[in-house]
Amino acid sequence: MSVIDRLNLRGEGVAPGLVVARALPGEEVGGEAVDGRIAQPKILTPSPDRVAAPCRHYKACGGCALQHASDAFVETWKTGVVRQALAGQGLEAPFRDTLTSPAGTRRRATLAGRRLKSGALVGFHGRASDTVTAIPGCTLLDPALVAVIPALEALVTEGGSRKGEVRLTVTRYAEGVEVSVDEGKPLDRALRLALPQIAGAHRLARLVWNGEVLLQEAPPSLTMGRARVSPPPGAFLQATPQGEAALKAAVIEAVGGAKQVVDLFAGCGTFALPLAETAEVHAVEGAAPMLAALDLGWRNATGLKRVTTEARDLFRRPLMPDELKRFDAAVIDPPRAGAEAQVAELAQAAVPVIAHVSCSPVTFARDARVLVGAGYRLDWVQVVDQFRWSAHVELVARFSRAHMA
Ligand SMILES: C[S@@+](CC[C@H](N)C(=O)[O-])C[C@H]1O[C@@H](n2cnc3c(N)ncnc32)[C@H](O)[C@@H]1O
């Protein structure tokens, strides 16, 4: 028998010398340990935070990691992950109440597909395994994504290889669902005919096969502030509409009345376009097609202030202090690896306010150390849980120059 001390960063229970799947702090557990891991624990004394998983697939499916824990527990745990990362850098901050996206709202996800002797299997990978679990009753995904699973199965039956898996990235847009398939069979004449027919029959908004657009009924679009944006295939989008709204509200509040804002790692304009209702915005991003979508959205919108765009690799060529000095606020939303080089320049430039959006508490805390070391104050942290039931943590934090706060 072992007692769980804490969760690791994958959301698994940790007892002395053991990792225990799907166990919560304080629980007494038993079961067979293989290589220091109990995969199927017997929960001898359940935690008061343990709940019945809402999804019928949870036992087998690895798509979610924390459905056995109450929402209140997960919120406290995710906040704790950020607090600990900051403490590791000698920092602390006021935390706002976590904002968690509701069940059934994930509008973007990557599923796995495997062709079978007859038909195909599409779903999430199983728990700690490379098997694929079917998820017709998934409680995580937007129902529109669950509804396209038969289309995905038909696509994999036609264009999946028996040798390996295909990756299916599904995104819900206003016009319907975009399906982007990677690791599909190379396109030949027969597939070029068959795959669009399947997509058409299932009314997919766009089908992308190994990076090539095979069918696009109407350009899929979504609203960003007053603009309507048509992201390019496979573009980054925030995972849920509610998560996007929460991040956006926190960013807008953080930059306050700034009139000149630089949006670093701007994507298709999630923050730049809403901010342009009150400020001139310079949007910088590595992927030129996403910036082109942002620019077109801005040009077709009315009532927005000027938005300029710049395609630039911010890891290799961060904006330098002399380029940053004209801005009175910066938004920075880097990928998981963080933005070490750009944050070093921001710290030098002393832009008065920074809204830092992050999906990695560890790289966020490292950046926070640099900014605080350069004289910024960490005003608050807002955890936004749009990856409900997973171990991912996202946040917005406001930094201001101490003498201007
Ligand atoms: C977390 S996303 C944020 C996008 C946008 N702020 C949003 O909320 O939709 C990170 C963005 O960084 C971009 N990116 C990744 N590496 C980059 C680099 N080295 N230089 C510039 N942009 C990069 C990606 O294309 C992606 O759009």
Side-chain angles (χ1 to χ4, degrees), residues 236-238 263-271 285-287 290 312-315 333-335 359:
F236 174 90
L237 288 183
Q238 297 295 347
D263 182 9
L264 301 161
F265 303 93
C268 294
T270 303
F271 305 125
E285 154 70 43
M290 283 204 260
R312 181 154 163 174
D313 183 334
L314 293 170
F315 290 172
D333 181 14
C359 56

